[in-house]
Amino acid sequence: MSSSQKNLVIARSVVDQGLSIAQAAAKFGVSRQWVHQLVQRYRSGGVAAVLPQSKAPKSRPQTTTETVRARVIGLRQTLVANGADAGPETIAWHLAREGFHVPSTSTIQRILRAAGLVVAQPKKRPKSSYIRFQAELPNGCWQADITYWFLVDGTRVEILDFLDDHSRLLLTIQAKALWTSADVVAVMDQLITTYGPPAATLTDNGMVFTARFTSRPGAKNGFEKLLAAHHIQQRNGAPSHPQTQGKIERFHQTLKRWLGARSLPASLEQLQMLLDTFATWYNTERPHRAINRRTPAQAYTALPKATPNTTHDTEYRTRTDRVDNNGKVTLRYASKIRHLGIGSAHRGKQVLMLIHNDHVTISDAATGEILTEYILDATKDYQKPTWRKPLSE
């Protein structure tokens, strides 16, 4: 969860739930000075006051020269012809590498529009509408999938790829006429030998990755058994919901744009040579917007590697709800709606929930009085409180 959400949880634990500065600092692992600052900002300015403030300058007096304009247009044409990303941010990165003054991405966008090099897409979903997640460390999660390409004679072949979720490093990309479960197991085993076991994997529900939808309930295929042997957590997207594997789906767009700028290969061997060239370019030469314009190779080597025993990312969030007639409120946890029992004595009451990983503290939204505390159990729907305020108080 973002730092702004953590800031809000800390501030509201003091202002709305009555914790002392020292108690909040100890509970959330921050300094008392920081808690004091957050409380002051929250009391004076509300939620907006604890959000990170932009440090960007209010204006840029530099003007865009004709030399820069011409280079923007030239880069766009070259990148498109090579099948590479050619958006304003990518162009800005190349301008900086070449020593040019870099205008804002909105200025680059205007230059491209004026030159007729941008096709309007008014129905395209805005980036702000996507929910973004990313593993905290390299090897925190590997995404894998199989896509396809064609040979010059029209033969359709399959391409298997593994992508590191944190760094976007392309761990491997290989072509075969048809991938079997045994083939995928062999590739995964080799990757574990090369890079070490990841903490988790994320794939779709293809039969090479999971047997969960076969006619044998509870059966495990070779890939699942290999993960279990290394204590690797297996994650699978929901059926017919490819957005869960968004990074590798987006990667396939980059791959096919690059392949589409080149002639179709005559054989699997020629296709593999193309894929090897692509992998080198993608990992070591292409700037990636999602990792601060570093290359995946740079991002992968910048931090220590997660392991199957790595602790998961800390979660902080808040939620308000009204206690129903049965004395319960609801909360989504581990992708499912859970029912938290507060007590029928509080029916109709507006409550505030502060969520910290699997710990939930519920208080009266009007008074800040803490009513119940929970440690959530992902195997159960109904959650009983670990502590409840006595009714006599």
Side-chain angles (χ1 to χ4, degrees), residues 323-335:
V323 182
D324 66 17
N325 290 333
N326 296 317
K328 295 183 289 187
V329 293
T330 60
L331 174 69
R332 182 174 291 277
Y333 175 72
S335 303

Side-chain angles (χ1 to χ4, degrees), residues 18-61:
L19 292 184
S20 68
I21 297 294
Q23 288 171 332
K27 182 174 183 178
F28 298 108
V30 296
S31 68
R32 285 178 292 176
Q33 291 84 353
W34 179 238
V35 176
H36 186 70
Q37 288 183 37
L38 291 175
V39 170
Q40 283 189 325
R41 285 160 56 180
Y42 181 69
R43 283 175 171 161
S44 62
V47 175
V50 300
L51 298 176
Q53 303 299 311
S54 173
K55 297 180 181 179
K58 299 296 183 181
S59 62
R60 296 183 181 274

Side-chain angles (χ1 to χ4, degrees), residues 181-243:
S181 180
D183 294 331
V184 174
V185 169
V187 171
M188 182 66 182
D189 192 44
Q190 182 59 51
L191 290 176
I192 291 173
T193 300
T194 303
Y195 296 100
T201 61
L202 175 60
T203 68
D204 61 17
N205 296 285
M207 292 182 64
V208 296
F209 299 119
T210 178
R212 61 191 296 211
F213 291 118
T214 64
S215 58
R216 297 176 296 164
K220 302 291 184 182
N221 69 5
F223 187 75
E224 292 170 308
K225 291 178 180 178
L226 178 63
L227 298 188
H230 290 277
H231 307 288
I232 300 168
Q233 180 184 8
Q234 183 177 28
R235 302 171 186 166
N236 299 96
S240 303
H241 196 270
Q243 294 88 339

